[in-house]
Amino acid sequence: MKRKLRGRGVAASWYGIARTATIDRAGAWAELDDGGTAKIVTGVTEIGEGILTVLAQVAAEELGIRPEDVTIGDNDTARSPEAAHAGATRQTYMIGNSVALAAREARGKLFAEIADHWEVSAEQLRAFNGEIWVEDTNKRMTMGEAVARCKARGVVPVGAASFTAHGTGLDPVDGSGSPWQAYVFGTQVAEVEVDTVTGEVQVLGIWAAHDVGRVINPRGVEGQIEGGVAQGLGQALMEEWQTDKGHPVTHGFAKYILPTSLDIPEITSILVEDRDPKSPLGAKGIGEPALVPTAPAIMNAIYDAIGVRMKSLPATPEKVLAALAAKEGAAA
Amino acid sequence: MPDTLTHPTVTAVTLDLTINGRRQRVQADPGARLLDVLRDGLMLTGAKEGCGAGECGTCSVFVDGKLIKSCLMPAAKAQGAEVETVEGLARTGDLTAVQKAFHKTGASQCGYCIPGMVMAATATLRDNPDADIEEIKERMGGNICRCTGYSKIFEAVEIARDVIAGRLPHTALDPEAVGNSFIGHNTRRLDAPSKVTGRLRYAGDMVMPGMLHMQVLRSPHAHAKIVSIDTTEAEAYPGVHCVLTCDDVPGEDGFGVFVEDQPVMARDKVRHVGEAVAAVAADSVRTAREAMALIRVEYDELPGLFDPEDALKSGAPVIHDYAADNVVKHIPVRKGDIAAGFSAADVILEESFSTQQVEHAYLEPEAGLAYVDHDGVVTVVSPSQNITHHRHMLSHIIAKPINKVRFIMSPVGGGFGGKEDMIYQGMLALAAMKTRRPVKLVFTREESFVASAKRHPSRTRCRMGLTKAGRITAVEFEMLSDGGAYGMSSEGVMRKAAILSCGPYEIENLKVDTKVVYTNNTPSGAFRTFGGMQAQFATESMMDMAAERLGMDPFEIRRVNMMRAGSLTHTQQKLASAAIDRVLDAAEGASGWEKGAPSVRGESRGDLDGPGTRRPCTLGARVRETATDRFRP
Ligand code: FES
Ligand code: FES
């Protein structure tokens, strides 16, 4: 047998978007502000996933301004409307849609005033990237001018909205129910190399295809997939919180091993857009689902490489060697 | 988190340093580390304390041109040195090529590792402007990032390298032009400039005038009765402003995501090692720590439960009185008739799988700052992932109406579900109410590890029946999970595990049971996928085992069973659409998958080592080989 053996494996997955088996909701306020800027206030703060940028893109698109013109208020229970928690792959879906709806309401107020000013119907107006205009005419102004005009006519262009996702609880006996209104699916292929002397597994490639609904920010989605894969890899091969009679024995980064830059495979993300028909944006989400198929894909690849089925995570070098020895023992 | 700068009982030393090109004189405790001088003395909070032990790289700075971990360097050793921090890399208002490249590629997510990463990348390119990707990876191997999977960081360093070397034009760092929509556009992250420059202030970086510091006394036992807590000496210690125990809770004590079974501080007994028992707020961290050592707690140890199977045995110790059987939650899902399904099967597979407890390991340890404002509103600033729910719980804990409780969510340096539990905000609020001063608490890495929830470990038994054509006829799926000492998110995790258990396949007959029990282990809680990965690890392993048995390609067996528009899920919800066919096709196509049954054909595959793979890393192998050799008899 060669010392280093390679193999490939695949795993599929599915996931639900937003809170489970309940009605989920999120609120947002929007104001088109002086200078063609905007204030968005909603119960959200960045936890790293890129939500502030996503919300700025959504608000900018709806309001006809640029993402960098959007200011997003801090998440503060005394100052912003409820948008509930930062988890459950719900931020883009729940808060993104509530911001879209709030921004639409603010835009509607501005459009009504500008349409009246230009003596056209609001349906003829378009706004994008800091400008507002009437299609097929030379009527055009900056959004800064439009806001000033709107306010001069006595109207502050504000909006408020709430977005709902209708999940239902599970039946206590047979579990039946509709826990989510939007689902996503994913498939990952892993390629590994196993060192049969040390038991070490290196993941060399991951191809990750994920349905995320309509993509708001492709790089942001890739970043979530890459981070999810790295966490999935850590769980697959090295990470383990261990206790001895309840006493932690892995209480620092020296004992609790995390993936570093040397462990990371080349990751190829493929974004599949199955748009959500039940929401204004059509987007779904990616935060959690990104890591679901990683560990089983790696375990299936290890089997392909060396013929041992790792059924207990993590597949540490010690466990891989033990499984190899058991297999050889059984064969002998 | 020593605050060795202003402690009255020790004589400070005077340090003369050049910081980012300016001469600075600072007073520091002889025991202070360079990191303390930078953060507490000079308010340069770009360098973070992710571990305090030289293992994460968040505290990286240059000292006399050399990249070092400032958590390991005694401040006195930096006497006379030139120190360069992330704040000093670029002129105010500008960004360096490395910082711009991080901004461009989206290399920062939570941002907590990013100042350290920017420093390490800068050091790499200063040392070798032509470093190739392998060298970049090796040189940055001492810096951990928990969010990004490093890929966009590597991409950024390579772009910066090429721009600095003139191989790429400066415009390579510019934002992408927008077409006719911002949806689908790679808009650069709006928060990136604040992260790549170290400007963003996380809760642990915040200060308020008159602020006190909290330290928490934690349980050394897994399961013990608290006989008595004597705080007299600690209360009398100079510099102490308050000592808290569960007796200071004015309202209804208890928090939790689904069941409010956890007191703010241990009440009557402790249920896991590391549980909060008492807290001290004092003028400095050091004083708080010294006073904490004076709290006398008398424990009476109880037999503990450390295995979820044991928790279910009759006569097992009871962890929470309300749950005499130690069961936190059981979720059943039933569909069709599994007896009929199994009798229609040509093959039946039965296997067991297990997954481990996993630490979130966000780089930002828990931190918070609480104060009572001029209107008597109790305010807590912290990287909480669920301030909406936290304010409800705190309101009944401190017996105040909702509008007298205010939670502010500070930038979160990584959460992944681990910051959904209100494990310290209650203590901070109580201390602020008692002292009428702002109170701050920053966990150490070890404290974060022992006190925060982990991913639920699981044991799953799965029985699957299939026809020769690969169609699943029935599945029986049972998962037992260790919830640890408190309920936290256990109920929801079991629910999600049950709903998703059998994967993206339409299965007519199934019986699923997920169950979580109390033990005296570190609590399990919310962690990215919320039970979904544990369950699907079992199912996806089974799918490949079935494919091998039936001689089918693993993609094919999945297609035979996959959900489609109109399918009924395991919980009998009718799907309007299911993109599983599309993601299977996409992954198969992109990876250039060679068809065949998963029967250990690695050696003969023709699709290996192609585009989309990296070179194996020999350094890691070298390091680990030596380690393995050492343990060999
Ligand atoms: S290496 Fe210094 S804080 Fe982690
Ligand atoms: S971005 Fe690296 S730890 Fe969060």
Side-chain angles (χ1 to χ4, degrees), chain A residues 253, chain B residues 33 35 47-60 68-72 142-144 363 445:
Chain A
F253 289 140
Chain B
R33 308 161 304 169
L35 181 62
K48 310 287 179 202
E49 181 161 356
C51 71
E55 288 149 2
C56 73
T58 54
C59 62
S60 303
I68 60 112
K69 290 176 172 160
S70 63
C71 71
L72 293 181
N143 288 64
I144 295 173
L363 270 271
R445 173 56 54 187

Side-chain angles (χ1 to χ4, degrees), chain A residues 160-196:
Chain A
S162 169
F163 178 72
T164 315
H166 298 274
T168 66
L170 302 188
D171 181 273
V173 176
D174 71 1
S176 63
S178 298
W180 300 290
Q181 68 178 34
Y183 285 83
V184 292
F185 297 83
T187 299
Q188 292 182 9
V189 170
E191 183 167 327
V192 304
E193 181 178 277
V194 186
D195 184 326
T196 56

Side-chain angles (χ1 to χ4, degrees), chain A residues 47-196:
Chain A
I47 70 167
E49 74 283 64
I51 188 62
L52 296 184
T53 308
V54 162
L55 296 182
Q57 286 177 262
V58 167
E61 185 75 7
E62 298 291 345
L63 296 170
I65 59 175
R66 304 172 308 159
E68 55 266 44
D69 298 327
V70 178
T71 301
I72 300 189
D74 286 335
N75 191 9
D76 179 334
T77 58
R79 304 287 183 274
S80 50
E82 171 183 322
H85 79 294
T89 311
R90 65 187 289 284
Q91 303 277 81
T92 298
Y93 192 70
M94 298 306 303
I95 305 168
N97 281 312
S98 72
V99 165
L101 293 171
R104 271 177 207 184
E105 191 178 314
R107 180 188 64 195
K109 295 208 171 112
L110 178 117
F111 272 27
E113 296 305 317
I114 302 301
D116 193 50
H117 166 69
W118 271 336
E119 298 179 339
V120 295
S121 79
E123 289 69 50
Q124 291 169 274
L125 294 180
R126 293 285 170 276
F128 178 65
N129 204 13
E131 289 200 316
I132 181 168
W133 66 93
V134 183
E135 292 280 47
D136 304 320
T137 71
N138 58 6
K139 291 187 196 313
R140 180 177 285 267
M141 63 174 119
T142 65
M143 283 300 288
E145 290 162 346
V147 171
R149 174 69 56 191
C150 183
K151 286 194 180 175
R153 295 169 60 96
V155 174
V156 179
V158 290
S162 169
F163 178 72
T164 315
H166 298 274
T168 66
L170 302 188
D171 181 273
V173 176
D174 71 1
S176 63
S178 298
W180 300 290
Q181 68 178 34
Y183 285 83
V184 292
F185 297 83
T187 299
Q188 292 182 9
V189 170
E191 183 167 327
V192 304
E193 181 178 277
V194 186
D195 184 326
T196 56

Side-chain angles (χ1 to χ4, degrees), chain B residues 130-143:
Chain B
D130 295 318
D132 68 2
I133 183 67
E134 300 303 322
E135 183 174 346
I136 291 168
K137 287 182 183 179
E138 257 181 57
R139 283 179 181 266
M140 298 188 61
N143 288 64

Side-chain angles (χ1 to χ4, degrees), chain A residues 3 12 46 57 61 76 86 180 183 191 200 202 216 219 222 235 239 259 261 274 287 303 311, chain B residues 137 146 150 152 155 182 184 186 189 351 356 385 406 528 540 548 573 577 591 609 617 624-625:
Chain A
R3 172 172 175 175
E46 185 70 42
Q57 286 177 262
E61 185 75 7
D76 179 334
W180 300 290
Y183 285 83
E191 183 167 327
E200 189 198 17
Q202 291 196 51
I216 311 282
R219 265 191 180 274
E222 286 168 21
Q235 169 147 25
E239 294 181 38
S261 59
D274 182 33
Y303 184 79
K311 290 184 268 191
Chain B
K137 287 182 183 179
R146 189 53 156 169
Y150 304 95
K152 302 251 180 289
E155 186 187 350
F182 287 107
N186 282 321
R189 293 180 60 117
E351 296 288 345
Q356 74 278 41
Q385 286 181 256
R406 177 181 181 194
R528 200 174 187 176
E540 289 302 302
E548 182 182 25
Q573 176 178 2
S577 81
S591 65
D609 215 10
C617 156
R624 275 165 225 174
E625 223 163 280

